[in-house]
Amino acid sequence: MARVRLSVAERRDELLRAAVEQIEARGVAAVRISDVASALGVSNALVLYHFSTKEQLVTAAFAHAAEADLAHLRRLLGRRSTAVRRLRAAVRWYAPTGQAKGWRLWIEGWAASLRDPGLRRVATSLDQEWKAALTRVIAEGAAAGEFHCPDPAATAWRLTAFLDGLAVQTTAYAGSLSRTAMLRWADAALTRELGLPTDTPDEAPAEDPAEALAEAPEPAEPPARRPAAE
């Protein structure tokens, strides 16, 4: 059966999605043009026609993933609901869950961006837009009297830092924290930051750290140092 002929935009989108999947599976350093081509059953030359170097492909793949994340965040924060409900939905979505494939991608990106200016610009832009979107909704909620927050920008920074750190821990140390406990901690962080009562109907109660860790399975061998992202 002949392959369906794609437009330039459709082909680029297909290549970028495949590149994201290969980076998640192999890592930035190990991924090759041929991996992306093989995943789609196309030639290396076709990939290089659209992206002349591996570096261009990798940077474009991260930008593609970043825009997808931001589009989803905008949908969550743009719902017709209270600021608290929108913020809680965003925090629960952003927190790492399951196999955390998206987080493995971004931990790879953070590490590679230390030496790659193009990736650094992508990661920085995503981080700034995420914080700005949170800040706007926090400010809306404070103005509407839903909660008291004298510094929405600082609150957005602290929430982001907490969730990023939680993601690194749960991604690097698989099985060290249960999904239920992680989501409760994320909810509890938002509750503390906004000064919300802990018994609000849609609020999951905070969990004692010792109990949370106790319900998670023991790792086979406790790592001595933080391992590199997969």
Side-chain angles (χ1 to χ4, degrees), residues 70-91:
L70 287 170
H72 189 78
L73 177 65
R74 294 183 193 110
R75 287 194 294 273
L76 290 175
L77 296 181
R79 291 173 176 172
R80 298 181 65 181
S81 183
T82 65
V84 170
R85 287 184 178 274
R86 286 180 285 153
L87 288 167
R88 183 161 291 121
V91 165

Side-chain angles (χ1 to χ4, degrees), residues 51-136:
F51 305 97
S52 58
T53 65
K54 170 190 164 178
E55 290 72 24
Q56 286 186 8
L57 174 62
V58 168
T59 299
F62 275 100
H64 178 81
E67 184 49 47
D69 280 356
L70 287 170
H72 189 78
L73 177 65
R74 294 183 193 110
R75 287 194 294 273
L76 290 175
L77 296 181
R79 291 173 176 172
R80 298 181 65 181
S81 183
T82 65
V84 170
R85 287 184 178 274
R86 286 180 285 153
L87 288 167
R88 183 161 291 121
V91 165
R92 288 177 178 175
W93 167 69
Y94 189 77
T97 57
Q99 294 300 306
K101 288 185 177 180
W103 275 111
R104 285 200 294 275
L105 175 72
W106 286 111
I107 291 171
E108 279 282 346
W110 290 340
S113 71
L114 295 174
R115 297 174 179 83
D116 186 324
L119 283 181
R120 186 158 55 249
R121 285 191 293 271
V122 171
T124 299
S125 176
L126 174 63
D127 184 68
Q128 290 175 342
E129 291 196 50
W130 159 262
K131 290 188 176 84
L134 278 187
T135 299
R136 286 192 295 271

Side-chain angles (χ1 to χ4, degrees), residues 16 21 33 35 57 70 90 99 119 140 168 186 193-194 199 204:
L16 292 174
E21 292 174 358
I33 290 289
D35 295 323
L57 174 62
L70 287 170
Q99 294 300 306
L119 283 181
E140 288 176 18
V168 170
E193 284 291 343
L194 301 182
D199 58 349

